[in-house]
Amino acid sequence: PDLSFHHFMLHNPRPLDRARAEAKGLDVRPSLVVGAGEGLFALRGFLEGELVCEYVGRVLSLAEVMRMSVPDRDYVMGGFGLNVHVDGRHNHNMLARYINDNGDPALINAEFVKLRAERKALVRALRPLRAGEEIFCAYGEGYWRARQKASIASVVGETPVSRRFAWQFAARVLMLGAPLLAAWLVAARARSA
């Protein structure tokens, strides 16, 4: 059996210590982003440029990340180098794991500042944060691109034919644009039935 720390944490994650979070001026509660689960909220004001929290975790290689399913990558942060990815899945007290991307650049109020040598990211306020405000950071295009591919795969399945269909679908999205996409998808589903 694997007796490593990672294996232990995978099967015995530490529950969130709310008192510890509150002592840092933060709280975890349901996000304002529909479908996002939990979010990170300020319990006190933070100044522009102030450190809010840190994103830390187990360091994974690219090969380890590529073996993971897309949903398992939700708490894996890249951008530290090709073979360095920080996995925050199993530490529920690492508060930065609860930060969501709300999809609206105008509402992003914090940023991840990646420290490559230290293999962690600082969360820094981009503007003054008010008590009660949810903290939002942009995840980056790579995060959303991976989820778009995964959602296409979930619609069409994982067979050689469906993978070809998924690539065709992605190509059509780029060529046709949104107005014609729905009609093409309906026709493609009719052909595959």
Side-chain angles (χ1 to χ4, degrees), residues 3-23:
L3 301 177
S4 69
F5 176 73
H6 173 69
H7 184 276
F8 175 80
M9 290 303 293
L10 178 64
H11 299 287
N12 301 288
R14 287 178 275 169
L16 175 64
D17 182 344
R18 291 197 180 276
R20 197 167 142 200
E22 288 174 8

Side-chain angles (χ1 to χ4, degrees), residues 10-101:
L10 178 64
H11 299 287
N12 301 288
R14 287 178 275 169
L16 175 64
D17 182 344
R18 291 197 180 276
R20 197 167 142 200
E22 288 174 8
K24 295 179 179 184
L26 299 166
D27 189 26
V28 175
R29 55 184 180 230
S31 176
L32 301 174
V33 177
V34 176
E38 295 177 305
L40 187 64
F41 291 79
L43 288 178
R44 66 169 180 85
F46 285 85
L47 300 174
E48 180 177 341
E50 186 176 351
L51 175 68
V52 176
C53 58
E54 296 181 352
Y55 198 102
V56 297
R58 181 172 178 255
V59 176
L60 302 177
S61 69
L62 179 59
E64 290 172 300
V65 172
M66 295 309 293
R67 285 192 295 266
M68 298 167 70
S69 68
V70 173
D72 282 345
R73 295 181 202 166
D74 280 353
Y75 299 101
V76 177
M77 182 181 287
F80 298 95
L82 181 61
N83 215 24
V84 179
H85 305 272
V86 177
D87 181 1
R89 286 180 295 168
H90 307 301
N91 184 353
H92 296 270
N93 288 305
M94 194 265 297
L95 298 174
R97 76 188 299 276
Y98 299 101
I99 295 174
N100 292 305
D101 181 340

